[in-house]
Amino acid sequence: MKIAVLYGGTSGEREVSLSTGKGIIQALENKGHEVTAIDFSPDKLDQVTALDVDLVFIGLHGRFGEDGRIQGLLDMKGLPYVGSGVLASALAMDKAKSKQIFSRNGLNTAESAVFDVTDESRWSMIEGTIKQQFQLPFVIKPNQEGSTLGLTIVKDEADIAGAVRTAAQSDSMILVEDYVKGREVTVPVMGRRGEEKALPVIEIIPKNDYYDFDSKYQPGGSEHIVPAELPADITARLQEDAVRAHQLLGCEVYSRVDFIINDKHEPVILEVNTLPGMTPTSLFPDAAAEIGLSYDDLIQSFVDLSQPAFEKKV
């Protein structure tokens, strides 16, 4: 097939996307596909709209890649692509909206509130509200950002102002939520719509205090235990909740769902990643390897799962 790969981008996750894109491109070429690679930025929209390919593989992360915008452009041009559509991508990227959907459908989420920080003159009032609503420790992060960029675990009230400022640098809306202490796990999901299956659960043991950017992407930054050493009932619950979250948002082809297992041994869902990393240190390929699926075969599986969209275009 003729497949275009969009990677790079302009978000804070650009370097991660460059690595993801490199892996996807090599895998597709290894499988015999003709690849057109575009290091994407908004000023290259004409290159995207002029594409004459069978399929687009989106290797972007964060804004303008994972939030539904590029998906909308591809839909308007009638270009089929791998992964979730506009609405699912936008909902997953909006942590507050996705948490509302999860909570209303019986999935455990941390208590949270969202604040508009567009007007800096209101920050002191927002900080006061946060102090009243939340008990230490709690988390402040951008509402729409990935890879824990702009995230602060607030352990002292004196740190609230700095945490708000840090999060506001990435987004006009910030999310404040209870800090859930526990074991960090993630569950990859893949399959055709309505037939999705969860891959093995992965436990993440970061070298730093939490699974921050360096822990995610630096070699040796974290240890991945696959499959996670958990009781069978908790593993089953995590996999069931992951598929449920994927379906509730309307995700397609693949996603990765992040959880914390709290002190009551209950999964608390954090977020759904519609375009999870595919770098050499990424989690999804680790889970695939556990079931005997190589990196190249995993990427080919995503192409195969996208065939209905391709066939509809033809």
Side-chain angles (χ1 to χ4, degrees):
M1 295 174 64
K2 294 167 65 177
I3 301 177
V5 177
L6 306 183
Y7 68 108
T10 58
S11 78
E13 298 177 81
R14 172 175 168 77
E15 293 303 317
V16 182
S17 180
L18 289 173
S19 182
T20 284
K22 181 179 178 181
I24 293 171
I25 292 164
Q26 187 61 62
L28 292 172
E29 290 178 342
N30 291 345
K31 289 295 184 179
H33 299 292
E34 179 184 334
V35 179
T36 300
I38 298 178
D39 183 351
F40 178 76
S41 61
D43 61 4
K44 293 182 180 178
L45 290 178
D46 57 336
Q47 292 185 34
V48 176
T49 56
L51 284 170
D52 180 19
V53 294
D54 300 314
L55 189 68
V56 178
F57 203 122
I58 305 172
L60 296 163
H61 304 309
R63 293 179 185 275
F64 302 111
E66 204 166 355
D67 57 6
R69 300 187 204 194
I70 192 67
Q71 289 81 359
L73 176 66
L74 296 173
D75 282 342
M76 286 190 286
K77 292 300 296 182
L79 288 167
Y81 49 88
V82 176
S84 298
V86 175
L87 182 58
S89 300
L91 284 173
M93 194 70 178
D94 189 322
K95 295 178 179 65
K97 290 288 190 296
S98 58
K99 282 167 67 74
Q100 288 176 358
I101 293 170
F102 299 148
S103 180
R104 290 173 182 174
N105 285 276
L107 297 179
N108 286 337
T109 63
E111 290 295 321
S112 64
V114 65
F115 298 92
D116 185 339
V117 290
T118 306
D119 184 356
E120 189 171 348
S121 67
R122 298 183 64 250
W123 286 9
S124 60
M125 183 181 70
I126 290 171
E127 291 159 17
T129 302
I130 292 171
K131 289 179 184 179
Q132 292 177 350
Q133 287 190 219
F134 292 89
Q135 291 186 337
L136 296 168
F138 52 83
V139 176
I140 297 180
K141 59 187 176 182
N143 186 47
Q144 298 193 55
E145 186 59 273
S147 292
T148 64
L149 293 171
L151 180 148
T152 303
I153 298 176
V154 179
K155 300 177 181 179
D156 189 308
E157 286 190 351
D159 298 329
I160 294 176
V164 168
R165 181 172 296 279
T166 297
Q169 290 174 355
S170 298
D171 196 359
S172 61
M173 305 292 289
I174 65 169
L175 184 71
V176 184
E177 61 185 0
D178 287 341
Y179 173 66
V180 181
K181 186 174 178 58
R183 298 168 70 176
E184 298 195 45
V185 297
T186 192
V187 187
V189 175
M190 61 186 292
R192 298 191 192 282
R193 179 172 286 187
E195 301 175 357
E196 297 90 348
K197 302 293 183 184
L199 273 63
V201 177
I202 304 172
E203 181 170 7
I204 305 157
I205 302 178
K207 295 295 187 280
N208 293 337
D209 290 342
Y210 67 99
Y211 195 43
D212 60 6
F213 191 89
D214 287 342
S215 297
K216 290 174 188 282
Y217 303 115
Q218 291 298 321
S222 62
E223 180 183 359
H224 301 168
I225 300 176
V226 193
E229 297 172 355
L230 296 166
D233 60 331
I234 295 179
T235 296
R237 169 81 178 277
L238 284 163
Q239 292 178 315
E240 180 182 325
D241 283 1
V243 171
R244 179 76 171 135
H246 175 102
Q247 293 175 337
L248 282 170
L249 296 185
C251 298
E252 297 179 64
V253 181
Y254 73 115
S255 71
R256 200 195 73 233
V257 189
D258 298 338
F259 297 88
I260 294 285
I261 302 173
N262 66 17
D263 55 8
K264 297 180 181 178
H265 308 292
E266 297 172 336
V268 178
I269 188 168
L270 299 177
E271 63 180 338
V272 174
N273 303 274
T274 55
L275 292 175
M278 291 290 161
T279 75
T281 60
S282 290
L283 296 154
F284 208 119
D286 280 357
E290 180 64 21
I291 61 170
L293 202 59
S294 70
Y295 184 95
D296 288 2
D297 288 342
L298 176 64
I299 298 302
Q300 180 62 48
S301 294
F302 295 155
V303 172
D304 295 340
L305 290 169
S306 305
Q307 285 295 95
F310 164 66
E311 291 163 358
K312 184 177 180 180
K313 176 176 181 285
V314 173

